[in-house]
Amino acid sequence: MMDIIITGCSKSGKTSIRKVVFDKKYPNETIFNEPTNKPENIQVESLGYSYLNLTEFPSSFSSNNMIEYDKYLNTCQALIFIIDTQNTLNPQYEYFKNIISLFNKYNDIYLWVFFHKTDNLDVAQTDYNEQRAELKSKIKQIVKGAKLDDLDVNYYATSIYNSSLFEAFSQIFQNILPQNKNLSSLIDNLSINCRFEKAFLFDVYNKFYLAVDCSPNKAQHYEMCTDIIDLALDVSGIYGNQKEDEEIDSYFDENSICSIKLNSKVNDDSKDILFLKFIHKNFALIAIINEDIYERNNLLDYNINMFKQGVKTILKFK
């Protein structure tokens, strides 16, 4: 079981985040969200590897009503605080200071700060980087002022209009998922043995990655992975052999694969291939691999099969 709390000031985007990531809503469907007046708790069972308890706290949460929220706080593993980057008023930083002071007495809680609503900023522009650095500096000063210097704070720039939220939650899950250390070791060994340039273990339905190898992660990697997932699902949905009494995702199985030759703007002779192979009903290995290695089927099949069995054992799949 994983327990996560989302909090922040009113209209910071807490409800939109929850609905886009976990209720699969389109961003434009979250424009007219009702204000959150009490804790909103959802249980996400579609993860397959663990149940998720996600609780959104209203902005009225404070030291005055701690008893009401105690049942959520006692089991919380990760706290996500939303900073609205389009709101330059100071109250949200004061609220952040109050919140982390309240959470400080609860041990082993990971703190994540989402600099949210960054879609109106150009990531390539200098002012974006300056603003993000300024926001980080404000948060660090608040943490230091609250005498919480040992508090480990993680930062993400997020928006409901791109993949940043899914990447952020992927990182959170890797921090609180008990099996992550074993999964990471497993995918590192696979990547070394198969000479992958990069490898991920993806939850296909939710588009979270639960493990990633230790090679450098590039900004475009996540987008590439979700693109090949969409391609595999779309093609399987059209041409797959599905029985009438089976679920909608039954047109692929553990033998389903997809591969795409990658083009490089720098090197026209690039031999990189983006490779996806399902290893369970809702899980896929996605890797970037050199074409020469890709053609060595026996090497790949053997190592991926061993990886598959390892994942099933760790996550206790049947």
Side-chain angles (χ1 to χ4, degrees), residues 118 139 171 221 256 271:
T118 56
I139 296 298
Q171 292 293 327
H221 281 160
S256 299
K271 290 186 176 183

PDB file of all heavy atoms in Angstrom, residues 118 139 171 221 256 271:
ATOM      1  N   THR A 118       3.344  25.550 -15.054  1.00  0.00           N
ATOM      2  CA  THR A 118       4.498  26.090 -15.776  1.00  0.00           C
ATOM      3  C   THR A 118       4.293  26.078 -17.285  1.00  0.00           C
ATOM      4  O   THR A 118       5.208  26.373 -18.043  1.00  0.00           O
ATOM      5  CB  THR A 118       5.767  25.266 -15.449  1.00  0.00           C
ATOM      6  OG1 THR A 118       5.517  23.884 -15.767  1.00  0.00           O
ATOM      7  CG2 THR A 118       6.130  25.393 -13.993  1.00  0.00           C
ATOM      8  N   ILE A 139      11.872  28.230  -1.227  1.00  0.00           N
ATOM      9  CA  ILE A 139      11.518  27.023  -0.472  1.00  0.00           C
ATOM     10  C   ILE A 139      12.635  26.652   0.492  1.00  0.00           C
ATOM     11  O   ILE A 139      12.401  26.321   1.663  1.00  0.00           O
ATOM     12  CB  ILE A 139      11.228  25.855  -1.430  1.00  0.00           C
ATOM     13  CG1 ILE A 139      10.006  26.163  -2.303  1.00  0.00           C
ATOM     14  CG2 ILE A 139      11.008  24.575  -0.646  1.00  0.00           C
ATOM     15  CD1 ILE A 139       8.723  26.367  -1.545  1.00  0.00           C
ATOM     16  N   GLN A 171       8.776   9.196 -10.284  1.00  0.00           N
ATOM     17  CA  GLN A 171       9.875   9.352  -9.331  1.00  0.00           C
ATOM     18  C   GLN A 171       9.401   9.121  -7.898  1.00  0.00           C
ATOM     19  O   GLN A 171      10.101   8.502  -7.092  1.00  0.00           O
ATOM     20  CB  GLN A 171      10.460  10.760  -9.458  1.00  0.00           C
ATOM     21  CG  GLN A 171      11.180  11.026 -10.762  1.00  0.00           C
ATOM     22  CD  GLN A 171      12.445  10.202 -10.908  1.00  0.00           C
ATOM     23  OE1 GLN A 171      13.115   9.915  -9.921  1.00  0.00           O
ATOM     24  NE2 GLN A 171      12.770   9.816 -12.116  1.00  0.00           N
ATOM     25  N   HIS A 221      13.415  11.061 -23.314  1.00  0.00           N
ATOM     26  CA  HIS A 221      13.215   9.619 -23.128  1.00  0.00           C
ATOM     27  C   HIS A 221      11.780   9.280 -22.739  1.00  0.00           C
ATOM     28  O   HIS A 221      11.188   8.338 -23.276  1.00  0.00           O
ATOM     29  CB  HIS A 221      14.177   9.081 -22.065  1.00  0.00           C
ATOM     30  CG  HIS A 221      15.563   8.865 -22.574  1.00  0.00           C
ATOM     31  ND1 HIS A 221      16.661   8.769 -21.751  1.00  0.00           N
ATOM     32  CD2 HIS A 221      16.039   8.722 -23.849  1.00  0.00           C
ATOM     33  CE1 HIS A 221      17.751   8.575 -22.482  1.00  0.00           C
ATOM     34  NE2 HIS A 221      17.387   8.540 -23.746  1.00  0.00           N
ATOM     35  N   SER A 256       3.856  -9.878 -27.090  1.00  0.00           N
ATOM     36  CA  SER A 256       3.698  -8.691 -27.938  1.00  0.00           C
ATOM     37  C   SER A 256       4.946  -7.819 -27.874  1.00  0.00           C
ATOM     38  O   SER A 256       5.484  -7.561 -26.793  1.00  0.00           O
ATOM     39  CB  SER A 256       2.481  -7.881 -27.477  1.00  0.00           C
ATOM     40  OG  SER A 256       1.302  -8.633 -27.586  1.00  0.00           O
ATOM     41  N   LYS A 271      21.809   4.035 -35.669  1.00  0.00           N
ATOM     42  CA  LYS A 271      21.325   2.658 -35.669  1.00  0.00           C
ATOM     43  C   LYS A 271      20.518   2.331 -34.410  1.00  0.00           C
ATOM     44  O   LYS A 271      20.316   1.165 -34.078  1.00  0.00           O
ATOM     45  CB  LYS A 271      22.510   1.683 -35.781  1.00  0.00           C
ATOM     46  CG  LYS A 271      23.190   1.707 -37.142  1.00  0.00           C
ATOM     47  CD  LYS A 271      24.244   0.606 -37.219  1.00  0.00           C
ATOM     48  CE  LYS A 271      24.864   0.538 -38.611  1.00  0.00           C
ATOM     49  NZ  LYS A 271      25.836  -0.583 -38.712  1.00  0.00           N
TER      50      LYS A 271
END
